[in-house]
């Protein structure tokens, strides 16, 4: 029982873990959004985006500190700058993904 309580404090539940995927599927994402984060970012610069409707995103954080990107205080979802490899490799990776899913 003790370990279950510890896990409950540290890790997301299934519903919490699905929040970012559901928000991405039904929300009105900003065009620049690439990554949604379920955790509050204490050291990232928080930018408030204009909220157009109920499914719009208003929270946006700059690049997170690695450990707060993996666990922290659950906030639901927020647009966050993501940690990408250098431009050439990220472009190559994106092109392969498009090929795999049939977008190219």
């Amino acid at each position: 029982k003790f370990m279950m309580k510890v896990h409950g404090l540290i890790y997301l539940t299934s519903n919490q873990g699905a929040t970012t995927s559901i928000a991405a599927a039904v929300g009105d994402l900003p065009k620049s959004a690439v990554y949604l984060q379920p955790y509050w970012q204490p050291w990232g610069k928080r930018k408030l985006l204009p909220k157009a409707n109920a499914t719009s995103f208003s929270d946006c954080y700059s690049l997170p500190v690695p450990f707060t990107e993996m666990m922290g205080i659950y906030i639901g979802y927020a647009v966050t700058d993501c940690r990408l490899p250098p431009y050439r490799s990220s472009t190559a990776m994106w092109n392969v993904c498009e090929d795999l899913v049939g977008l190219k």
Side-chain angles (χ1 to χ4, degrees):
K1 283 191 166 193
F2 173 75
M3 286 309 291
M4 288 178 69
K5 286 185 180 185
V6 171
H7 281 250
L9 292 172
I10 296 174
Y11 300 111
L12 298 177
T13 65
S14 298
N15 287 345
Q16 290 172 329
T19 305
T20 54
S21 297
I22 294 167
V26 300
D28 185 13
L29 285 166
K31 295 215 183 284
S32 62
V34 176
Y35 181 57
L36 293 180
Q37 172 69 257
Y39 301 113
W40 173 66
Q41 299 301 308
W43 293 287
K45 286 186 179 176
R46 184 172 183 238
K47 303 172 271 188
L48 284 176
L49 304 173
K51 195 167 176 122
N53 58 49
T55 59
S56 294
F57 291 74
S58 60
D59 285 344
C60 184
Y61 290 96
S62 61
L63 190 64
V65 176
F67 70 86
T68 62
E69 192 173 14
M70 295 178 278
M71 64 177 55
I73 299 169
Y74 173 75
I75 61 166
Y77 52 85
V79 175
T80 306
D81 295 339
C82 59
R83 198 175 311 286
L84 291 173
Y87 179 73
R88 288 178 114 176
S89 60
S90 62
T91 302
M93 182 175 69
W94 187 264
N95 290 336
V96 167
C97 290
E98 283 184 335
D99 287 343
L100 288 172
V101 297
L103 292 175
K104 268 191 167 179

